Amino acid sequence: MRKILALLSVVLLSACATQPQVRGTGDLGLVIERASGHVTLIDTSKRAPYARIAGLGDLSHASAVYSRDGRYAYIFGRDGGLTKIDLLEARIVKRVIQSGNAIGGSISQDGRIVVAQNYTPGGIKAFDADTLELLSEVPAEYAPGKFAKVVGLADLTGNRFGYALFEGGEIRITDFSDPRRPTTQRFPAGNQPYDGLVTPDGRHYMAGLFGEDGIALLDTWKPEAGARKILEKYGRGEEKLPVFKMPHLRGWAVAQGKAYLPAIGRHEVLVVDTDNWREVGRIKLRGQPVFVMARPDGRQIWVNYAFPDNSWVEVIDTLTGQVVQSLQPGKAILHMEFTPRGEHVWLSARDDNKVLIYDTGSFAKVGEFAAQAPSGIFFTSRANRTGF
Amino acid sequence: MRLTLFLAAALLPAAALAQPPASVAAPTPERQKEIVHLVRQDCGSCHGMNFGGGLGPSLKPEALRDKPVESLVATIYGGRPGTPMPPWHRFLSESEAEWVVERLLQGFPAE
């Protein structure tokens, strides 16, 4: 009898261990540990990690998007790996190598299609979000036999995706409403688009240009009008400062009716009115901005920097347009992520092997934990935002 | 100095003299550590931490082998106008850039 009881308790215990705890996912997220192919799963209510998953390959440049229920993360690695993770069971559900060299990805409005953007071979590929089965692909062929690196992939309404071609100098919109038979529109954009974003309402797609001063803007509600250039010649012909890391653009650039965009080769954020797309200001900074991210309420803009100024983080107050706080939270601050309503910001300090948590009201540090060479931080609140 | 050079030349076996130009003086071990970190992490943001390429081209030995060493050194030191490759002369001397190229050609050290 005792034996049976012991056996029964073992069976029950192991059943408990594999049953996910009944809970929501709205306060969960993950941290990429770029050097070792791990992700650490985190809980923003407890301000702490709760699990760590290995075996994600080369994460030296990695990003993540979420299923609309916030349970699954899709992680795009540098080596072309696409890994689906279950945040509740803390395990890899499925992993495929979908290209030789990838840069990121996106998820469709209806949550059914995950699209990866690739450098080698240049193009995009659509996968079934449940099974990761390949549905279709669109090569980034911009001239006969010539393929470009794809940058700035962003989800638009109607299961369309906007993206840009670095070598091809064009913006594209691919429509996956029939996911096995996508259709693509092409728009000349400018010299060397390096990244792109869609505004939070899903209407305007912007591609930042590296090869010339300016940003290409496409109204996706009126694509027939084509892309036009805004912020043209913002460098005023002055020599560019060297850019030791490319800025990253996403929908977080928009706050309070304005877009805050990193300049290329200038230590400035450029401010544009999103009604008429005219420049309305510039804010001087201490280095080349990489991430220029609005707190979800739009009151603050947090900025981090390219090497060699990447130990700094600065905060702009959108009411005054001034830098109101300069912080040195740690060595090599690579990324920032706000809690869903913005009371905290999480920062990855790559060279300190730490994630730091700051209060955005008092600018006081409220927590930290160890992570190996952390880079991107992604919270499940992205699941509900267009362009994330 | 001249004496040292003379001595060094005298001591070098004939076989070594037949080799291509001698390697640059290696940075100190501490400095090497800094440079390896810089190259893996900061060059890696465009070229990939494992140098398989990204927005910038691959830096693996097989990708670099057919390129002249001097032009690779010049690219690191002075950048390449018209591309996103910036000049690194604020952070690396020319001989350090040469050391980086040599190491890349041999397979770059891990951190």
Side-chain angles (χ1 to χ4, degrees), chain A residues 34-36 58-61 78 101 119 149 151 166 192 194 210 242-246 307-310 350-351 373, chain B residues 37-38 40-42 44-57 82-91:
Chain A
R34 72 195 296 262
S36 60
D58 181 352
L59 296 181
S60 62
H61 189 292
R78 170 63 91 197
N101 193 322
Y119 278 172
K149 299 181 193 88
V151 300
F166 180 74
Q192 295 175 328
Y194 67 88
F210 182 85
V243 178
F244 294 106
K245 183 174 178 174
M246 281 289 183
F307 177 84
D309 301 302
N310 56 8
R350 182 194 68 203
D351 291 356
Chain B
H37 182 72
L38 175 87
R40 286 249 171 228
Q41 300 297 330
D42 296 300
S45 54
C46 281
H47 297 281
M49 215 168 53
N50 303 315
F51 307 125
L55 196 63
T83 78
M85 178 67 181
W88 291 86
H89 56 69
R90 270 170 67 198
F91 312 105

Side-chain angles (χ1 to χ4, degrees), chain A residues 48-378:
Chain A
Y50 68 90
R52 191 163 186 251
I53 303 175
L56 280 91
D58 181 352
L59 296 181
S60 62
H61 189 292
S63 66
V65 297
Y66 285 97
S67 62
R68 59 199 287 163
D69 60 5
R71 176 167 178 178
Y72 301 102
Y74 301 90
I75 297 162
F76 306 91
R78 170 63 91 197
D79 55 3
L82 166 58
T83 311
K84 182 177 178 179
I85 278 178
D86 183 336
L87 269 73
L88 292 180
E89 293 186 345
R91 66 180 181 93
I92 292 175
V93 179
K94 178 113 197 198
R95 176 171 161 79
V96 295
I97 300 290
Q98 57 86 26
S99 81
N101 193 322
I103 181 70
S106 190
I107 187 161
S108 62
Q109 183 180 32
D110 67 4
R112 289 165 179 265
I113 307 165
V114 172
V115 178
Q117 57 176 334
N118 294 320
Y119 278 172
T120 321
I124 60 170
K125 286 187 177 180
F127 299 87
D128 182 295
D130 280 338
T131 63
L132 301 190
E133 177 204 354
L134 179 67
L135 298 172
S136 55
E137 55 187 300
V138 182
E141 190 174 15
Y142 61 96
K146 288 187 161 178
F147 296 85
K149 299 181 193 88
V150 173
V151 300
L153 182 73
D155 50 297
L156 306 174
T157 51
N159 285 3
R160 294 174 306 157
F161 290 83
Y163 53 102
L165 308 193
F166 180 74
E167 293 86 350
E170 62 184 73
I171 291 175
R172 288 183 169 194
I173 294 180
T174 296
D175 186 336
F176 286 98
S177 46
D178 181 352
R180 290 187 189 273
R181 272 170 291 277
T183 55
T184 299
Q185 290 173 282
R186 301 168 63 175
F187 309 92
N191 195 6
Q192 295 175 328
Y194 67 88
D195 201 0
L197 71 91
V198 63
T199 50
D201 57 10
R203 177 168 179 179
H204 291 96
Y205 182 84
M206 283 187 247
L209 302 174
F210 182 85
E212 62 182 293
D213 287 342
I215 287 183
L217 175 77
L218 179 71
D219 183 345
T220 71
W221 292 2
K222 292 187 285 184
E224 62 282 0
R228 67 183 170 109
K229 232 162 268 172
I230 60 168
L231 292 168
E232 252 184 301
K233 303 189 177 67
Y234 63 74
R236 305 182 183 114
E238 290 168 29
E239 199 174 330
K240 276 186 183 173
L241 299 165
V243 178
F244 294 106
K245 183 174 178 174
M246 281 289 183
H248 285 54
L249 307 174
R250 292 273 108 178
W252 53 59
V254 179
Q256 302 294 304
K258 293 179 185 132
Y260 294 79
L261 300 161
I264 287 277
R266 295 180 72 84
H267 295 174
E268 288 175 344
V269 163
L270 310 171
V271 190
V272 181
D273 186 320
T274 58
D275 278 336
N276 55 27
W277 300 104
R278 289 207 189 97
E279 181 182 329
V280 291
R282 292 177 179 216
I283 301 159
K284 281 237 167 277
L285 297 167
R286 71 169 60 236
Q288 169 66 54
V290 175
F291 286 98
V292 178
M293 301 174 103
R295 197 171 71 175
D297 66 348
R299 175 68 198 266
Q300 296 174 346
I301 308 285
W302 286 60
V303 182
N304 77 337
Y305 296 103
F307 177 84
D309 301 302
N310 56 8
S311 66
W312 288 93
V313 168
E314 288 188 296
V315 184
I316 297 163
D317 176 10
T318 54
L319 270 189
T320 62
Q322 305 283 320
V323 172
V324 290
Q325 195 67 222
S326 299
L327 304 164
Q328 271 193 297
K331 278 189 253 158
I333 303 295
L334 290 196
H335 197 224
M336 307 178 283
E337 180 83 334
F338 293 97
T339 47
R341 298 203 201 174
E343 78 285 4
H344 293 156
V345 64
W346 290 39
L347 309 166
S348 50
R350 182 194 68 203
D351 291 356
D352 283 337
N353 296 304
K354 274 182 192 169
V355 173
L356 310 160
I357 306 170
Y358 276 73
D359 184 299
T360 61
S362 66
F363 304 109
K365 189 166 86 177
V366 295
E368 67 168 63
F369 59 88
Q372 205 186 335
S375 54
I377 307 175
F378 301 88

Side-chain angles (χ1 to χ4, degrees), chain B residues 34-94:
Chain B
E34 285 172 16
I35 296 174
V36 168
H37 182 72
L38 175 87
V39 174
R40 286 249 171 228
Q41 300 297 330
D42 296 300
C43 304
S45 54
C46 281
H47 297 281
M49 215 168 53
N50 303 315
F51 307 125
L55 196 63
S58 166
L59 302 181
K60 289 189 182 254
E62 55 274 22
L64 299 181
R65 211 164 280 142
D66 59 342
K67 297 187 168 65
V69 169
E70 316 84 73
S71 93
L72 293 170
V73 174
T75 297
I76 295 175
Y77 193 70
R80 276 189 81 181
T83 78
M85 178 67 181
W88 291 86
H89 56 69
R90 270 170 67 198
F91 312 105
L92 291 172
S93 71
E94 221 164 344

